[in-house]
Amino acid sequence: GEDVEQSLFLSVREGDSSVINCTYTDSSSTYLYWYKQEPGAGLQLLTYIFSNMDMKQDQRLTVLLNKKDKHLSLRIADTQTGDSAIYFCAESRVNAGNMLTFGGGTRLMVKP
Amino acid sequence: EAGVAQSPRYKIIEKRQSVAFWCNPISGHATLYWYQQILGQGPKLLIQFQNNGVVDDSQLPKDRFSAERLKGVDSTLKIQPAKLEDSAVYLCASSPTGTAQETQYFGPGTRLLVL
């Protein structure tokens, strides 16, 4: 099965909070990342968390990490239509340099 | 600061033809990555260079794919001959030294369609 798994699709209303979830399998993951991809564009790093942390907040973004359950989430507060995009979770592992393993992506649709 | 540049942006070829993609990383970045992103999937690493040496090419289909970074700056990725399943977006990324906590900066990608 996939090393990094995400749900395919999430739809929210403008102004609501969005929570995008990700599970991973490798306990040696060192850093976990959230990337955003808009149509026709490359990947933009949103935020990352080191594996010995359980939470990181950056403006409207909150990352929660449950290392025991190997579960990562990204919460976007006050979601805007400009947040509509595909969000990818990725991990890097011990002894794998900076090689990233990506999930399949979650398409976030924000309705006005 | 200029970002990662890739060309061409789009390419349409017939199966069994050859194709090459070019990447110019951010100036001074030692590490360069090529990813393949098939429609509806996340990117998959094909090859990672550190300067002009290969760090990891374990997921590169070496019977048809090749990549080089001869002078440790620009890189080319070639497919010869192409198959239908090679249709994807090919993303290039770079990072300063390749350590785990570094941000990888991605280019806009080259969208390949094999008919």
Side-chain angles (χ1 to χ4, degrees), chain A residues 6-17:
Chain A
Q6 302 178 238
S7 53
L8 287 177
F9 188 75
L10 176 65
S11 177
V12 299
R13 292 215 169 270
E14 192 173 20
D16 288 350
S17 292

Side-chain angles (χ1 to χ4, degrees), chain B residues 8-110:
Chain B
R9 291 296 310 275
Y10 305 92
K11 190 75 178 178
I12 301 174
I13 62 172
E14 293 187 347
K15 61 183 179 184
R16 291 187 288 274
Q17 285 187 323
S18 301
V19 65
F21 313 127
W22 174 81
C23 173
N24 186 11
I26 292 173
S27 178
H29 280 195
T31 312
L32 185 147
Y33 315 80
W34 282 103
Y35 290 86
Q36 180 193 57
Q37 186 178 17
I38 292 172
L39 186 66
Q41 298 181 18
K44 182 184 82 172
L45 181 71
L46 293 176
I47 189 166
Q48 176 181 345
F49 290 96
Q50 186 73 13
N51 298 307
N52 61 352
V54 175
V55 173
D56 187 333
D57 64 357
S58 56
Q59 298 190 91
L60 187 74
K62 297 180 188 63
D63 57 334
R64 297 183 302 104
F65 286 64
S66 64
E68 58 184 17
R69 193 185 184 202
L70 293 175
K71 296 183 180 179
V73 181
D74 294 3
S75 176
T76 54
L77 176 70
K78 296 179 182 177
I79 308 175
Q80 182 179 9
K83 293 185 175 181
L84 297 177
E85 58 261 36
D86 298 332
S87 294
V89 177
Y90 291 85
L91 295 165
C92 180
S94 71
S95 65
T97 66
T99 51
Q101 68 271 28
E102 277 183 351
T103 298
Q104 291 188 25
Y105 296 87
F106 283 81
T110 295

Side-chain angles (χ1 to χ4, degrees), chain A residues 22-56:
Chain A
C22 171
T23 56
Y24 60 98
T25 56
D26 197 308
S27 57
S28 69
S29 297
T30 52
Y31 288 88
L32 295 128
Y33 304 82
W34 285 104
Y35 281 83
K36 177 182 181 182
Q37 187 175 41
E38 294 178 275
L43 290 155
Q44 174 196 358
L45 178 66
L46 289 177
T47 187
Y48 67 91
I49 189 167
F50 187 49
S51 59
N52 69 353
M53 298 169 64
D54 51 20
M55 187 182 93
K56 181 177 180 181

Side-chain angles (χ1 to χ4, degrees), chain A residues 45-82:
Chain A
L45 178 66
L46 289 177
T47 187
Y48 67 91
I49 189 167
F50 187 49
S51 59
N52 69 353
M53 298 169 64
D54 51 20
M55 187 182 93
K56 181 177 180 181
Q57 187 155 4
D58 183 1
Q59 299 182 345
R60 292 191 297 124
L61 305 179
T62 303
V63 178
L64 295 177
L65 175 61
N66 181 328
K67 197 171 181 182
K68 174 176 169 289
D69 294 339
K70 299 188 183 68
H71 182 266
L72 181 74
S73 67
L74 174 69
R75 179 177 179 270
I76 306 173
D78 187 24
T79 313
Q80 303 298 305
T81 54

